[in-house]
Amino acid sequence: MNPTPVTPEEARRALEAADATARQMRRMLAHGGLPYFLWIWGTVWLLGFGATHFFGPHDPRTAWAWAILDTAGAVLSFAVGAWLSRRLRSPRGGALGLFWMAWLVYAALILYFARPLSEKQISLLIALFAMMGYVTSGLLYRSRWLVGLGLTVTVLIVLGYVAWPAGFDLWMAVLGGGSLLAAGTYIYYAWR
Amino acid sequence: MARFDSLIHQPVRLRLMAALHALAADEQVDFQTLRDLLDVTDGNLATHLRKLEEAGYVAVEKTFVGRRPRTYIALTPRGRQAFREHVQALQAILEQAATDDT
């Protein structure tokens, strides 16, 4: 006998609603800001590598383009991170920001001490470092999506470098930057 | 132990409790995020939160971020326990129905 005024059908619907909301919450916390970061850095890659391809690696316009794009990307990422941290207060809230700061310092040190490197090698290493960051932060936050995206773009980067070195910058602009922009757009609309 | 809780069972409050239960015990979510997630109005959410707060199920903390007031919400240990027991009670109803059918 049912001791409550709830029928089995009502109980089933209530459990489904609770489960769906809990999943939605977990997904929002895990991926809520991901599209914004992918849009920011996809745009940086698209325009930066595009400038390298069309102006040439030694043109001052290319250097300016990268300086402005990287600075804008870092400032926007920081702003988005600060905005996201207001939604959820957690003792682990700053961990991801510290992770990327540590990543930036180590990447800069490795690039500095690995000199001399060609422009192509520098582009390759920066792109690979970025994807290493995606994969490791994905593992840290148990995001299969981020790990999958990082591995996919890594394969594209290596493929472009090995198979088409002359057009590597264009390849990175279109396929590297484009993949990040497309992934960000997909996540934004599919996971709302 | 399974215990049906009619306060939690109201549809919006059930989803509210489920959303908060998905957080870690030491995490708090802000009011706007919760409102958007549940797709309810400010007034509606505030009313349900008040009832749950009176029962000791949620803790509401009002603070300032810069000059802007912000409200953060978390499940209390008592609320976490009550939600788990309510879910168990719902599962028990389903299991009982399945047993009755066989």
Side-chain angles (χ1 to χ4, degrees), chain A residues 1-2 4-8 11-12 14-15 17-18 21-22 24-26 28-29 85-92, chain B residues 4 9 14-15 18-19 22-24 26-30 33 37-38 61 63 65 72 87 90-91 93-94 97:
Chain A
M1 190 186 131
N2 183 1
T4 69
V6 174
T7 65
R12 186 186 59 76
L15 284 171
T21 306
Q24 206 179 346
M25 182 66 144
R26 278 193 286 267
M28 191 200 73
L29 295 178
S85 69
R86 287 181 195 165
R87 304 197 309 181
L88 181 79
R89 289 212 301 193
S90 165
R92 295 164 295 284
Chain B
F4 186 89
H9 193 65
L14 179 75
R15 292 177 58 230
L23 301 176
D26 55 1
E27 289 177 338
Q28 299 170 303
V29 67
D30 84 328
T33 303
L37 182 83
L38 299 172
E61 188 186 333
T63 184
V65 177
Y72 288 94
V87 167
L90 293 174
Q91 287 166 341
I93 291 169
L94 285 182

Side-chain angles (χ1 to χ4, degrees), chain A residues 3 8 14 18 26-28 50 53 61 72 89-90 94 96 103 118 126-127 139-140 148 150 164 181 190:
Chain A
R26 278 193 286 267
R27 181 186 278 179
M28 191 200 73
H53 177 76
R61 287 173 294 182
R89 289 212 301 193
S90 165
L96 195 58
W103 169 88
S118 70
I126 289 174
L139 291 170
L140 191 68
W164 193 32
L181 288 170

Side-chain angles (χ1 to χ4, degrees), chain A residues 13-44:
Chain A
R13 280 205 300 268
L15 284 171
E16 282 175 0
D19 191 46
T21 306
R23 256 184 293 132
Q24 206 179 346
M25 182 66 144
R26 278 193 286 267
R27 181 186 278 179
M28 191 200 73
L29 295 178
H31 301 292
L34 188 54
Y36 306 109
F37 293 113
L38 293 175
W39 284 335
I40 291 167
W41 292 102
T43 305
V44 169

